[in-house]
Amino acid sequence: KDKLSVQYIGKGSHSNDVGAIQADSPVPSDVLVYYYEVHVRDAGERGVIAVGFADFHFRLSRQPGWEPNSYGYHADDGNKFHNSGKGEEYGPSFVQGDTVGAGIHLENRDIFFTKNGKKLGVAFSNVKATLFPTVGLHSQNEHVEVNFGAKPFQFDIEGMIAEEREQRQFAVLQSEIPANACHNIVCSYLKHYGYADTLKAFDEDSFKDQLRSNEENLQAFSLEDRKRVRNMLFEGNIEGARQLLIGRQPQLAHSQTETPFLDAFFHLSVQQ
């Protein structure tokens, strides 16, 4: 009635006689970690329950992990499965009374599993597909109950997330930033946008270095050129900016040959 528990009443006589269930909604993309748990109320005749994730095209007559874009942790042998009927060693088996959790770390693109509140480690990495929580039952009388967070989880998922954030914050605080980093960022910004006068007032040595660089590479856009383009764009003179680019790279007017200014020229032409 609650649509959160299911019992298998089939015979499970062959590999396409699985009774799999799948959540209505996919794993959301706007969370750091997604997690759910499955409590085994009855392991049935053979205890071949599988917990995991699968994409929208997954066949519900198969176990998660056997099909493409599906991932499963299986009860009978504790193996993990992905895109194959042959599993790999992963964790302990699970039986009646156990609670198994499945999680996706969306930033790391990892899938992990838990058993009775203990994390078993990363099972799969580089996971890219849009996935749905998926559970497979394959022997008579197997009975499971799914918890998407309406009840407290056995595994402390909030504690895991908090600990990870603390570790990241600590790593950031331990990072060494060069004393001149902010100064260099400001200089780079002023050079890029052609704020020559401001650059000269802010750091005259950097201003002189830029002038020397322009003299050594006559095809490069000088500070003065950048200033002129910026002013033209502010005034809406797109054609003037295009002609200035063509003056530096005449081939832009005749071909699509790769040049340092091709992207800029294309965007200006589109705006025009």
Side-chain angles (χ1 to χ4, degrees):
K1 295 180 180 180
D2 56 10
K3 297 184 179 180
L4 294 174
S5 61
V6 61
Q7 183 173 13
Y8 183 77
I9 58 174
K11 295 182 179 180
S13 55
H14 53 80
S15 61
N16 286 299
D17 195 20
V18 176
I21 57 171
Q22 191 172 72
D24 294 333
S25 301
V27 173
S29 60
D30 58 351
V31 296
L32 179 64
V33 179
Y34 177 85
Y35 180 77
Y36 76 100
E37 288 184 343
V38 175
H39 178 67
V40 182
R41 299 178 66 175
D42 192 327
E45 292 182 354
R46 302 197 313 276
V48 284
I49 299 165
V51 178
F53 297 93
D55 69 3
F56 180 75
H57 302 289
F58 175 74
R59 290 193 295 162
L60 296 178
S61 60
R62 300 277 285 170
Q63 288 281 37
W66 288 355
E67 295 290 293
N69 290 325
S70 71
Y71 305 83
Y73 170 35
H74 290 213
D76 54 328
D77 53 18
N79 285 353
K80 62 180 182 179
F81 291 74
H82 169 53
N83 194 26
S84 173
K86 183 178 180 180
E88 300 177 16
E89 289 187 9
Y90 173 65
S93 60
F94 52 95
V95 296
Q96 182 173 329
D98 287 332
T99 297
V100 173
I104 298 184
H105 193 302
L106 277 83
E107 186 172 298
N108 296 342
R109 297 192 299 184
D110 293 334
I111 290 179
F112 65 92
F113 296 96
T114 68
K115 179 184 175 183
N116 296 331
K118 181 181 178 181
K119 187 177 180 182
L120 302 178
V122 173
F124 306 101
S125 300
N126 198 31
V127 177
K128 298 180 180 180
T130 299
L131 300 175
F132 295 72
T134 306
V135 179
L137 310 177
H138 199 202
S139 75
Q140 198 165 33
N141 295 322
E142 288 177 348
H143 188 186
V144 300
E145 181 178 349
V146 184
N147 177 19
F148 292 108
K151 299 186 296 185
F153 291 129
Q154 283 204 19
F155 177 65
D156 185 10
I157 186 66
E158 295 300 330
M160 169 189 153
I161 295 172
E163 181 180 359
E164 180 170 325
R165 285 175 174 163
E166 287 179 6
Q167 291 173 349
R168 292 185 180 190
Q169 184 177 10
F170 179 77
V172 170
L173 293 175
Q174 295 300 307
S175 300
E176 294 186 4
I177 300 176
N180 61 347
C182 292
H183 184 92
N184 292 340
I185 290 173
V186 173
C187 286
S188 178
Y189 176 85
L190 296 176
K191 290 176 184 178
H192 181 76
Y193 287 101
Y195 291 103
D197 297 337
T198 306
L199 177 62
K200 185 176 182 180
F202 182 73
D203 186 335
E204 189 167 357
D205 289 339
S206 181
F207 174 76
K208 291 178 180 178
D209 288 343
Q210 185 64 37
L211 292 182
R212 282 193 293 270
S213 176
N214 294 150
E215 291 172 357
E216 294 170 1
N217 185 2
L218 296 178
Q219 284 192 327
F221 247 36
S222 67
L223 279 172
E224 185 61 30
D225 288 332
R226 292 174 183 272
K227 180 179 179 180
R228 289 173 61 193
V229 167
R230 178 167 45 81
N231 290 336
M232 288 176 181
L233 294 178
F234 284 156
E235 295 168 357
N237 185 7
I238 305 299
E239 179 58 26
R242 288 179 73 255
Q243 291 304 318
L244 185 56
L245 282 173
I246 291 173
R248 287 295 188 204
Q249 297 283 322
Q251 63 267 39
L252 285 171
H254 307 290
S255 70
Q256 293 299 312
T257 304
E258 289 291 335
T259 78
F261 307 127
L262 182 59
D263 286 345
F265 185 78
F266 172 77
H267 288 293
L268 288 173
S269 299
V270 171
Q271 290 185 45
Q272 189 185 39

